[in-house]
Amino acid sequence: MDYSKVKEAAIEASGFSYAPYSKFHVGAAIQCKDGSIFLGCNVENRSYGLTICAERSAVFNAIGSGKKDFTAVAIFSPDSEFPLPPCGACRQVISEFCDAGVPVFFSGKDKNFKMLLVKELYPFDSLHDLKKE
Ligand code: THU
């Protein structure tokens, strides 16, 4: 499968990031089985704890648009020196909606994307076990 579009979408989404406090801009994108792609970015708030990460923003954007079946996730930050994987909270949210074998691509400013599967980012997921039953 060609994952260049979802990676490009994450790069585009980082341009929409609202991060006046951390100055750390993040974009994410999630690709659906029908080929459509939904964007997300981190959206900060002066009450810092209300901030949402780019990854959860992308997932909620897709779910809120009626999508259910996903084939890839991508994350990009122009402000990271290293490939930026999702935080723990986002790993759990991604695993809620993406199968264990879905690839998650993540990159820092060099645009050299690493890849881990959902099951590698979030192993022994009880939800995936429950869904099997
Ligand atoms: N952030 C993300 O959006 N995704 C990540 O994977 C790491 C952190 C955001 C949250 C906050 O707005 C800023 O980056 C600094 O932590």
Side-chain angles (χ1 to χ4, degrees), residues 22 24 26 42 44 51 53-55 84-87:
S22 73
F24 191 79
V26 187
N42 56 331
E44 298 188 345
T51 292
C53 296
E55 298 90 322
L84 184 72
C87 77

Short mmCIF file of all heavy atoms in Angstrom, two decimals, residues 22 24 26 42 44 51 53-55 84-87, ligand 1:
data_model
loop_
_atom_site.label_atom_id
_atom_site.label_comp_id
_atom_site.label_asym_id
_atom_site.label_seq_id
_atom_site.Cartn_x
_atom_site.Cartn_y
_atom_site.Cartn_z
N SER A 22 3.74 25.92 24.00
CA SER A 22 4.92 25.04 23.91
C SER A 22 5.78 25.37 22.69
O SER A 22 6.96 25.02 22.64
CB SER A 22 4.48 23.57 23.80
OG SER A 22 3.93 23.30 22.52
N PHE A 24 5.64 23.86 20.12
CA PHE A 24 5.96 22.53 19.58
C PHE A 24 4.76 22.09 18.73
O PHE A 24 3.69 21.75 19.24
CB PHE A 24 6.19 21.56 20.75
CG PHE A 24 6.78 20.23 20.36
CD1 PHE A 24 8.15 20.11 20.10
CD2 PHE A 24 5.97 19.11 20.26
CE1 PHE A 24 8.69 18.87 19.76
CE2 PHE A 24 6.51 17.87 19.91
CZ PHE A 24 7.88 17.76 19.66
N VAL A 26 2.61 19.94 16.06
CA VAL A 26 2.46 18.54 15.67
C VAL A 26 1.26 18.41 14.75
O VAL A 26 0.21 19.01 14.97
CB VAL A 26 2.25 17.64 16.92
CG1 VAL A 26 2.28 16.16 16.51
CG2 VAL A 26 3.32 17.90 17.99
N ASN A 42 -2.18 19.45 17.17
CA ASN A 42 -2.32 19.76 18.60
C ASN A 42 -2.96 21.13 18.75
O ASN A 42 -2.66 22.08 18.00
CB ASN A 42 -0.99 19.65 19.35
CG ASN A 42 0.13 20.50 18.81
OD1 ASN A 42 0.18 20.79 17.61
ND2 ASN A 42 1.05 20.90 19.67
N GLU A 44 -3.63 23.76 21.74
CA GLU A 44 -3.31 24.08 23.14
C GLU A 44 -4.32 25.06 23.71
O GLU A 44 -5.19 25.58 22.99
CB GLU A 44 -1.88 24.63 23.22
CG GLU A 44 -0.86 23.60 22.74
CD GLU A 44 0.58 23.99 22.96
OE1 GLU A 44 0.86 25.19 23.23
OE2 GLU A 44 1.43 23.08 22.88
N THR A 51 -5.18 20.96 26.62
CA THR A 51 -4.56 20.70 25.32
C THR A 51 -4.91 19.32 24.80
O THR A 51 -4.97 18.35 25.56
CB THR A 51 -3.02 20.81 25.49
OG1 THR A 51 -2.71 22.18 25.77
CG2 THR A 51 -2.28 20.34 24.24
N CYS A 53 -3.65 16.48 21.85
CA CYS A 53 -2.57 16.11 20.93
C CYS A 53 -3.11 15.97 19.51
O CYS A 53 -4.30 15.72 19.28
CB CYS A 53 -1.95 14.78 21.31
SG CYS A 53 -1.11 14.75 22.90
N ALA A 54 -2.19 16.07 18.56
CA ALA A 54 -2.54 15.95 17.15
C ALA A 54 -3.17 14.60 16.82
O ALA A 54 -4.13 14.52 16.04
CB ALA A 54 -1.28 16.15 16.31
N GLU A 55 -2.64 13.55 17.42
CA GLU A 55 -3.12 12.20 17.08
C GLU A 55 -4.57 12.00 17.48
O GLU A 55 -5.39 11.49 16.70
CB GLU A 55 -2.26 11.15 17.80
CG GLU A 55 -0.79 11.17 17.41
CD GLU A 55 0.06 12.09 18.26
OE1 GLU A 55 -0.42 13.19 18.65
OE2 GLU A 55 1.20 11.72 18.56
N LEU A 84 8.80 11.35 16.29
CA LEU A 84 7.91 11.61 17.42
C LEU A 84 6.78 10.59 17.48
O LEU A 84 5.79 10.70 16.76
CB LEU A 84 7.32 13.02 17.28
CG LEU A 84 6.45 13.48 18.43
CD1 LEU A 84 7.30 13.78 19.66
CD2 LEU A 84 5.62 14.68 18.04
N PRO A 85 6.89 9.58 18.36
CA PRO A 85 5.81 8.60 18.48
C PRO A 85 4.68 9.19 19.33
O PRO A 85 4.88 10.15 20.06
CB PRO A 85 6.48 7.42 19.20
CG PRO A 85 7.53 8.06 20.04
CD PRO A 85 7.97 9.32 19.33
N PRO A 86 3.48 8.60 19.24
CA PRO A 86 2.36 9.12 20.04
C PRO A 86 2.59 8.93 21.54
O PRO A 86 3.26 7.99 21.96
CB PRO A 86 1.16 8.28 19.56
CG PRO A 86 1.72 7.13 18.81
CD PRO A 86 3.09 7.49 18.36
N CYS A 87 2.03 9.83 22.33
CA CYS A 87 2.11 9.71 23.79
C CYS A 87 1.25 8.51 24.24
O CYS A 87 0.48 7.95 23.45
CB CYS A 87 1.65 11.01 24.47
SG CYS A 87 -0.13 11.25 24.48
N1 THU B 1 1.98 16.68 21.37
C1 THU B 1 1.29 16.08 20.36
O1 THU B 1 0.39 16.69 19.77
N2 THU B 1 1.60 14.82 20.03
C2 THU B 1 2.64 14.11 20.56
O2 THU B 1 2.86 12.97 20.17
C3 THU B 1 3.47 14.72 21.61
C4 THU B 1 2.97 15.99 22.17
C5 THU B 1 1.71 18.09 21.69
C6 THU B 1 1.01 18.37 22.96
C7 THU B 1 1.49 19.78 23.25
O3 THU B 1 0.66 20.70 22.57
C8 THU B 1 2.86 19.87 22.66
O4 THU B 1 2.95 18.77 21.74
C9 THU B 1 3.99 19.78 23.67
O5 THU B 1 3.89 18.65 24.45
#
